Amino acid sequence: MAQLGRLLVPLAALVLLLWTVPWAQGRRSNVRILTDENWTSLLEGEWMIEFYAPWCPACQNLQPEWESFAEWGEDLEVKIAKVDVTEQTGLSGRFIITALPSIYHCKDGEFRRYLGPRTKKDFINFVSDKEWKNVEPVSSWFGPSSVLMTTMSALFQLSVYIRTSHSYFVHDLGIPAWGSYLVFAFATVLSGLTLGLFMIFVADCFCPSKRRKPQQPQQPPTKKPSPELSQSLNKVEEEQEADDEGVLEEETENKEEASKDSPQSGVRQRCVGQSLATDDKS
């Protein structure tokens, strides 16, 4: 009997194990996992999304309520999802997650933040009674699909890449911490110069600079004469004009006198010429 009892105990344990495994597999979680690759599915239909971190105590306390709420998702025609911000930094950047856990409601691409009690009953009422209509939606400028939030997501991912690269340089390659900082400083300066040259090239293509004409030498500014000096200059000019007029009058008078004397001299020359001719004949 003792040997039979020893055989029954392992057999019973094996039967119990085989019976519990299918039951455990049947209780598959109804909560969907969102990543940086499949997050665009939020833009269609109705969703409730939880942002959490495994190390967060408040997130751990919320998990049972969230799992129970997910069981009602099919009846409420709402999809229940969660995002691990430690793994999906891009999504945490898109939604600017500053507190954990954070819950969002999404209806056809329109996002609203849930700030009510965190119980299964309150989640169900929020969806079934359409209480989300009383919550102001997130502005389109700050929506996860906007250009601004896409840029923010890229910056979050870049920060994770830099941290991972720093850890690789220090721990795997054995480079000192200051050497790793020097590498990132050089990369920052180089990328800034490259971006600046690219922007100058683009600006020159769309807005070419005009060719400048050669500048002519500037003449020194002339000073305006004083009133006394201008009066004296005017008097000198008037006197010069008067002298010029006098000279012209004298020249005209001389010409007139010369024109009067020219006929008489011609007559005299003729008379003299005739008298000489008669003398020769005689």
Side-chain angles (χ1 to χ4, degrees), residues 41-76:
S41 58
L42 293 173
L43 303 177
E44 297 179 358
E46 188 172 5
W47 292 75
M48 288 286 287
I49 313 105
E50 175 203 5
F51 292 86
Y52 75 100
W55 49 262
C56 173
C59 300
Q60 295 173 2
N61 296 332
L62 178 62
Q63 290 309 308
E65 296 290 335
W66 197 252
E67 292 288 345
S68 300
F69 171 54
E71 296 176 0
W72 287 76
E74 187 175 354
D75 297 332
L76 296 173

Side-chain angles (χ1 to χ4, degrees), residues 86-117:
T86 61
E87 296 291 338
Q88 311 300 328
T89 54
L91 279 180
S92 64
R94 286 184 183 275
F95 288 85
I96 309 295
I97 302 301
T98 57
L100 295 174
S102 293
I103 300 174
Y104 278 84
H105 174 271
C106 178
K107 176 68 174 178
D108 295 330
E110 195 173 52
F111 292 85
R112 293 175 173 84
R113 187 168 182 179
Y114 176 82
L115 299 174

Side-chain angles (χ1 to χ4, degrees), residues 6-47:
R6 292 176 181 177
L7 292 174
L8 289 175
V9 171
L11 185 61
L14 181 60
V15 171
L16 182 62
L17 180 62
L18 294 175
W19 180 74
T20 55
V21 168
W23 179 81
Q25 292 179 351
R27 288 186 56 83
R28 184 175 57 87
S29 176
N30 294 316
V31 179
R32 304 180 184 219
I33 305 298
L34 291 179
T35 64
D36 291 322
E37 288 74 24
N38 65 355
W39 76 270
T40 53
S41 58
L42 293 173
L43 303 177
E44 297 179 358
E46 188 172 5
W47 292 75

Side-chain angles (χ1 to χ4, degrees), residues 177-250:
W178 61 267
S180 177
Y181 297 147
L182 187 62
V183 170
F184 287 117
F186 177 76
T188 302
V189 173
L190 183 62
S191 61
L193 290 174
T194 305
L195 181 61
L197 291 174
F198 176 75
M199 292 179 67
I200 292 173
F201 175 76
V202 172
D204 194 31
C205 290
F206 288 97
C207 301
S209 59
K210 297 181 180 179
R211 295 182 179 178
R212 295 182 178 180
K213 297 181 179 179
Q215 295 182 354
Q216 298 179 354
Q218 295 182 354
Q219 297 180 355
T222 57
K223 296 182 179 179
K224 294 182 179 180
S226 61
E228 297 177 355
L229 182 61
S230 62
Q231 290 178 359
S232 61
L233 292 174
N234 292 332
K235 289 181 181 180
V236 172
E237 290 177 356
E238 291 176 356
E239 291 176 357
Q240 289 180 354
E241 290 177 357
D243 294 339
D244 294 339
E245 290 178 356
V247 171
L248 290 173
E249 290 178 356
E250 290 178 358

